[in-house]
Each structure stands twice: as C-alpha cells, then as structure tokens.
Amino acid sequence: MYRYDEFDAKFVKERVDQFRDQISRRLSGELTEDEFKPLRLMNGLYLQLHAYMLRVAVPYGTLSSKQMRMLGHIARKYDRGYGHFTTRQNIQFNWPALEDIPAILDDLASVEMHAIQTSGNCIRNTSADHFAGAAADEVADPRVYAEIIRQWSTIHPEFTFLPRKFKICVIGAEKDRAAMKTHDIGLQVKRNEAGDLGFAVFVGGGQGRTPMIAKRVNDFVAENDIIAYCEAILRVYNMYGRRDNKYKARIKILVHETGIDVLRKDIEAEFERIKDGVLRLPDESIRAIEEYFADPDFEKLPSTSKAFEDRLASDRAFAIFAERNLHPHKKMGYTSVVVSVKPAGSPPGDATDDQLEAIADIGEKYSFDELRISHEQNVILPHVKLDDLPAVYDALVEAKLHSANAGLITDMIVCPGLDYCALANARSIPVAQRLSERFEDIERQKDIGELKLKISGCINACGHHHVGHIGILGVDRKGEELYQITLGGSGDENTSIGKIAGRGFTSDEIVDAVETVVDTYMDVREKADEAFIDTYRRVGDAPFKEALYG
Ligand code: HEM
Ligand code: SF4
C-alpha cells in the first residue's frame, strides 16, 4: 500500500491549516456562503439539503485497517454514526458541523487521508478494480498506475480549472469490474505481443444527462508513456472542451461532437511533442511505486481447506455466502471476500461506526491489514485464507455485514437522492429499501441470478442507472416523484446504456413494476443460468414493455 512521503504529509497538513483559517472566516461572517463556496469545494465540502457533506477520497479504493478505523471514529464523533460509500471509491459524511471540519481533516491527515480534489473541475480520485493485486485474472496491479496518476494529477497546475470534473479509472484485467468505460479516461493494463506492459486507452465515457461509452483512442500506450499520454488528452480537452455550457463541458461531448478520429489526431500530435520530455516515466520510478504494492507475505497453501469444506457442508447460510461473495484469488488457498454493505431494508452503502470498526478489525486479523471499497458501494477483504473463512463469516454475522447478495438484485447501487441531495428530483433510498425488502428471500434472489439494479434520484446519474441491467431514474412530474425504468444497461467490459422502457411509475407502483420486469425475465429466459442481461440482449425490450404497459 502506498505510504505518504514527507512532501505528501507536509502538503496535506498545509492544506488543512489553510482551510481551517477559511472556515473560521466563514464562521465569523467575514466570508459569505458565496465567497466560501469555491474554497470549500476545493476541500471536498458540499452544501446539501440539510447540512454540509464531506467527501473523503480513498485513492483507488485501497485503505488500511487503521484508516478504516479512523472513518469509524469520524462517523461516531462528528457525524450521526455512519458513513456512506460512493461509486467512486470515496466515503461521504452527511452531517458534519462546519466548525468540526478542521478537526475531521486533522484526524484524516493523521492516517494519510484527505478530501482534496474530491470536488471541483479537476482530476478526481482515480479509481481501480477493487480486486486489484488479488484477482486471479489480472495482468498487473492497476493501482501502481493509479498511484502514479494520483501523484501527477494532485494539484496539477494546468488541470485545476478544467471545463468540468475529470475522472480516470484503471483496470488490470480483461474483465471490467470498475465501470471503466463510464469514465473520462479509462485505462486497461495489458501486454503487447512482445510481452511489454502498456495500456489500451479509452476516452469520453460518462453518465449524467448525456450518457456515453468511452471510445478506444489507442490500443497500446507503453507503460513509460502513460502520463505523457494522459497529459496530451487533458491538454486537448482543456483547450477544446466547451466552457460556455456546463451541460456540454465534459470530454464525452467533445469526443461526440468532434469525432474520435479527429480528436485522436490532436491527442497523438500533442503526445508526440511531449512524450520524450519530463513526463516519460523511467522504469525505476515505476518499479519503485510497484514496491509499495508488493504482495503481502502469502503462505504456500493447498488449494482446498478442510475447515472451509466442513463448514460448507454443515451450514447452508455460509454455503450461500461462499457461493456469492467470494472471488478467485491469484494465490492458492486464498480468496477475496465481498462484504456487502446492503443488508435488507437499509440504505445501500451506509455503514455504521461499529461496522466500520468491525471491518477494520476483520481486515487486520484476516486480510493482511488491507481493505478495498468497491464502486458498487461494498467493502472487500482482498486476501483471506480459505481456512479463515468460517471465522471471517462469524465476525461478519456479528457486525450484520453477512448479506450473501453480492451481484444479486438487492446488491444495488443507489445515490442519496432527495433524502440528502440538493439536486435530487426524487427519493432513491426509500425505493431501494422497499425493493430490498420485497426481494429479501435469498433463495429467490439466487434463482433470479446476477442482476444489477441501480437507482439515481435525478438525471446526473450518480446511482449509475444508465448502466444498470435494470435502472431506475427518479424524475419530478409537477411535484410528484416518478420513477422511470431503463433496461439493458451494463457497466462491465460489454458496457451498454440502458433504454427507457416507457412512462414513469409512482412511488407506490415502482416496486411492483420492478417485480414485473423480473418475473417477465424469469418467464422468457431460456434456462435458469441465462443471466438477465443476456436474456434482455436476446429478446430485446418488447416482452418487458408488454408486461409493464400492456
Ligand atoms: C450527495 C451529494 C452529491 C452531489 C451534490 C452530487 C453531484 C453530482 C452531479 C452534479 C453530477 C453530474 C455530473 C455531470 O454533469 O456529469 C454527478 C454525477 C455523478 N456522481 Fe454525484 N453527487 C452526489 C453524490 C454522489 C454519490 C453518493 C455518488 C455515488 C453513489 C456519486 C457519484 C457520481 C457519479 C458516478 C456520477 C456520474 C457522472 C459521470 O461521471 O459522468 N455522487 N454528481
Ligand atoms: S443522481 Fe442526482 S439525486 Fe442522486 S446524488 Fe447524484 S445529483 Fe443527487
């Protein structure tokens, strides 16, 4: 895991001190809210419907038990006892008092965390596959490059005032578990025919009111050139991105309006100009960062575990959990565990202070002190011995974090919606709660199989509804909250944007409507293991529309 050097530590501390002063001027009335706004946004502090909201970055989703414990402490001491994991590997605190923010930032800094560049028109937290460094199918650990990008992009003088916010995502496997193609830049680590490491580079993805899938701009950019290549993309965007219209300012619009082929020429020309300069990454720098992400001390283990097998045979709930929430690990005898932060009836992604601390303890004891946040608002224990799974499961049961629903219908992504968000048109959380209660029966969920349900409370699409197999979008129709259903979206290596099924449903109707979609799928699927998205792609939306609207 990356550790701050003296420059990082000094920079973060100076930023906290600077912001403390700005907050005190706001509190004394010396600064108006309007004057304060750009200052607070530079420190990840939003003003929501009821209170300020602090967004804290978890770079590439990786954190230590100590850091997770500190998040628990902050939730308890300064918030209302919980934190909210987001789709970009951040955590948000919804109820901090303004006067407490400096203390919170001090606490975060003490464990090498901060809220810098979690807002504003800059390069945001670079996200990565949450199984990075652990997955069996990985070419190389994408976090090495995400960390290099973090160092390059943090207060980059040229890219602090871009036309709009800018999001980068790095994955290290063919399988996309991080919705890479919904990002402004998506990087996929790969090897070329000579065996050298490099990247397929995608640009112009994004959700919001005009959803777009990122387009491939280059099939192979060498490892040493990746920062120069990103810089070239950012320069072209900074120059041509539309500053006149907020809704057309993302790079996805530039790509769409200019065409990827024209834009590629500009990017390549800029890249040619700068690639052999200071931005070229020397091998030794990459290898030095790689050291930070070196494997922990894995033991040499057999591929099976008696303790694990015995428990599988004797405990049905454990067996279902193991079937759903484990992910293949690159080392024999180990596995990654998805800790679902989606127990039935609770707001998806919300973890209490006790739960945050419990996860920290479990990670410390059973996962080499390492934890991950997934873009699906869950926590991952990346390296768990099969032998330890019974104990890990028991500890998760104790913390009420044992839902065996990873990848199933109740493992939803849900934005905060009208319960918190100043931009919302409709509530998301109560709909999610009712859906998770309706589909609570785990045997039924298993029967339905893999299904990504995603809910946003407005067109901004924080809840990823465009790339949900079933997406729900809250809209406001003359003061009434309505919910539109989209079908056929997907946020993996076959990313697709869902299609609106038809008129929206009221809050009272929406749960039944989703059930109608699910029942229709169960009727038309060819066999029990044909996943929802595959069935949808085979039959199209006609049977679903017919069932929903007659
Ligand atoms: C509660 C405070 C929040 C505010 C004020 C907020 C604000 C926004 C806005 C204005 C956009 C539109 C961006 C655009 O025009 O492209 C947006 C998009 C987005 N937000 Fe949020 N958001 C909030 C919470 C969240 C949460 C909780 C998540 C994760 C669950 C999230 C993740 C995202 C994502 C993934 C997008 C997609 C846009 C894209 O990348 O193209 N946001 N947000
Ligand atoms: S989708 Fe809309 S309602 Fe939901 S968090 Fe984003 S901006 Fe707010």
Side-chain angles (χ1 to χ4, degrees), residues 46 48 53 55 84-88 92 94 164-165 167 182 184 205-209 246-247 250 252 377 413-416 420-423 460-464:
Y46 287 76
Q48 287 298 288
M53 181 274 278
R55 181 179 291 155
H84 179 78
F85 292 115
T86 81
T87 52
R88 295 213 72 259
Q92 296 182 170
N94 285 310
R164 276 296 261 128
K165 61 183 172 178
K167 303 173 180 178
T182 67
D184 297 282
Q207 303 198 59
R209 68 176 59 220
K246 188 175 169 213
Y247 302 112
R250 297 287 294 264
K252 63 188 175 186
Q377 303 179 287
I413 296 182
V414 181
C415 86
Y420 297 103
C421 182
L423 304 170
N460 286 322
C462 299
H464 279 220

Side-chain angles (χ1 to χ4, degrees), residues 87-226:
T87 52
R88 295 213 72 259
Q89 299 177 311
N90 298 311
I91 185 166
Q92 296 182 170
F93 293 105
N94 285 310
W95 301 101
L98 184 55
E99 50 272 35
D100 288 336
I101 299 293
I104 298 175
L105 293 177
D106 268 337
D107 284 352
L108 288 170
S110 75
V111 293
E112 306 186 341
M113 295 183 85
H114 62 73
I116 298 161
Q117 286 190 203
T118 60
S119 179
N121 293 338
C122 53
I123 301 174
R124 303 285 186 88
N125 190 25
T126 293
S127 57
D129 183 346
H130 45 264
F131 294 124
D137 62 350
E138 189 171 87
V139 176
D141 190 336
R143 293 173 305 165
V144 174
Y145 308 101
E147 172 55 27
I148 292 170
I149 292 169
R150 185 189 74 80
Q151 295 188 15
W152 157 75
S153 63
T154 303
I155 55 160
H156 190 305
E158 202 176 319
F159 305 138
T160 312
F161 297 98
L162 292 165
R164 276 296 261 128
K165 61 183 172 178
F166 203 90
K167 303 173 180 178
I168 305 179
C169 174
V170 197
I171 60 171
E174 279 286 323
K175 186 116 190 85
D176 179 2
R177 292 174 281 256
M180 179 267 282
K181 287 188 186 158
T182 67
H183 287 76
D184 297 282
I185 295 181
L187 302 174
Q188 183 192 345
V189 184
K190 60 190 281 195
R191 283 190 192 276
N192 65 8
E193 275 160 24
D196 303 324
L197 278 172
F199 302 85
V201 179
F202 298 82
V203 10
Q207 303 198 59
R209 68 176 59 220
T210 323
M212 299 275 178
I213 301 168
K215 299 191 172 53
R216 190 184 292 257
V217 63
N218 193 317
D219 197 44
F220 191 81
V221 173
E223 204 189 19
N224 312 84
D225 291 329
I226 195 60

Side-chain angles (χ1 to χ4, degrees), residues 191-459:
R191 283 190 192 276
N192 65 8
E193 275 160 24
D196 303 324
L197 278 172
F199 302 85
V201 179
F202 298 82
V203 10
Q207 303 198 59
R209 68 176 59 220
T210 323
M212 299 275 178
I213 301 168
K215 299 191 172 53
R216 190 184 292 257
V217 63
N218 193 317
D219 197 44
F220 191 81
V221 173
E223 204 189 19
N224 312 84
D225 291 329
I226 195 60
I227 292 301
Y229 205 86
C230 287
E231 176 114 354
I233 295 173
L234 262 307
R235 283 188 183 183
V236 169
Y237 170 55
N238 209 8
M239 178 117 84
Y240 297 120
R242 288 188 55 175
R243 290 184 144 86
D244 61 320
N245 181 341
K246 188 175 169 213
Y247 302 112
K248 297 198 166 181
R250 297 287 294 264
I251 196 172
K252 63 188 175 186
I253 305 294
L254 181 64
V255 172
H256 182 69
E257 289 187 349
T258 313
I260 189 69
D261 294 327
V262 172
L263 215 58
R264 181 185 293 114
K265 282 199 190 104
D266 289 337
I267 293 168
E268 295 283 338
E270 184 62 17
F271 173 60
E272 279 305 313
R273 224 173 54 73
I274 61 178
K275 74 182 176 121
D276 294 321
V278 289
L279 292 172
R280 190 180 160 80
L281 291 167
D283 284 338
E284 52 283 16
S285 303
I286 303 174
R287 305 287 84 86
I289 298 288
E290 216 165 52
E291 277 295 297
Y292 286 108
F293 298 93
D295 280 347
D297 278 336
F298 291 126
E299 291 169 44
K300 214 167 157 16
L301 295 171
S303 60
T304 56
S305 147
K306 184 161 178 337
F308 176 49
E309 300 289 337
D310 285 353
R311 183 74 181 261
L312 280 181
S314 65
D315 181 345
R316 170 98 183 129
F318 177 80
I320 297 176
F321 178 86
E323 181 189 321
R324 288 306 324 172
N325 292 37
L326 304 186
H327 193 267
H329 198 279
K330 64 183 184 183
K331 289 284 176 213
M332 233 160 53
Y334 287 89
T335 184
S336 300
V337 179
V338 178
V339 178
S340 162
V341 192
K342 324 271 175 77
S346 82
D350 272 6
T352 66
D353 43 13
D354 290 340
Q355 287 178 324
L356 293 165
E357 284 170 357
I359 299 171
D361 291 345
I362 298 167
E364 186 167 45
K365 203 157 167 198
Y366 300 110
S367 184
F368 295 95
D369 212 14
E370 241 190 87
L371 298 158
R372 309 290 173 74
I373 313 298
S374 80
H375 89 279
E376 290 172 317
Q377 303 179 287
N378 289 322
V379 178
I380 312 292
L381 301 161
H383 317 294
V384 176
K385 273 198 260 185
L386 295 179
D387 280 340
D388 288 336
L389 277 173
V392 166
Y393 181 71
D394 291 340
L396 292 174
V397 171
E398 178 94 354
K400 297 196 173 57
L401 286 168
H402 60 293
S403 297
N405 59 355
L408 299 178
I409 187 167
T410 63
D411 183 10
M412 308 166 219
I413 296 182
V414 181
C415 86
L418 203 49
D419 289 291
Y420 297 103
C421 182
L423 304 170
N425 293 321
R427 272 163 289 192
S428 310
I429 292 171
V431 172
Q433 288 172 308
R434 284 188 283 129
L435 278 166
S436 86
E437 279 157 3
R438 176 72 62 93
F439 288 98
E440 186 174 353
D441 178 1
I442 191 69
E443 298 291 350
R444 181 176 179 207
Q445 290 191 55
K446 266 163 44 76
D447 193 16
I448 297 167
E450 173 143 321
L451 207 166
K452 309 272 186 187
L453 179 66
K454 310 191 178 189
I455 311 179
S456 306
C458 83
I459 197 86

Side-chain angles (χ1 to χ4, degrees), residues 36-55:
F36 182 54
K37 185 175 172 184
L39 305 175
R40 66 170 161 76
L41 288 179
M42 280 189 208
N43 291 281
L45 189 64
Y46 287 76
L47 188 53
Q48 287 298 288
L49 274 184
H50 313 288
Y52 287 104
M53 181 274 278
L54 182 69
R55 181 179 291 155

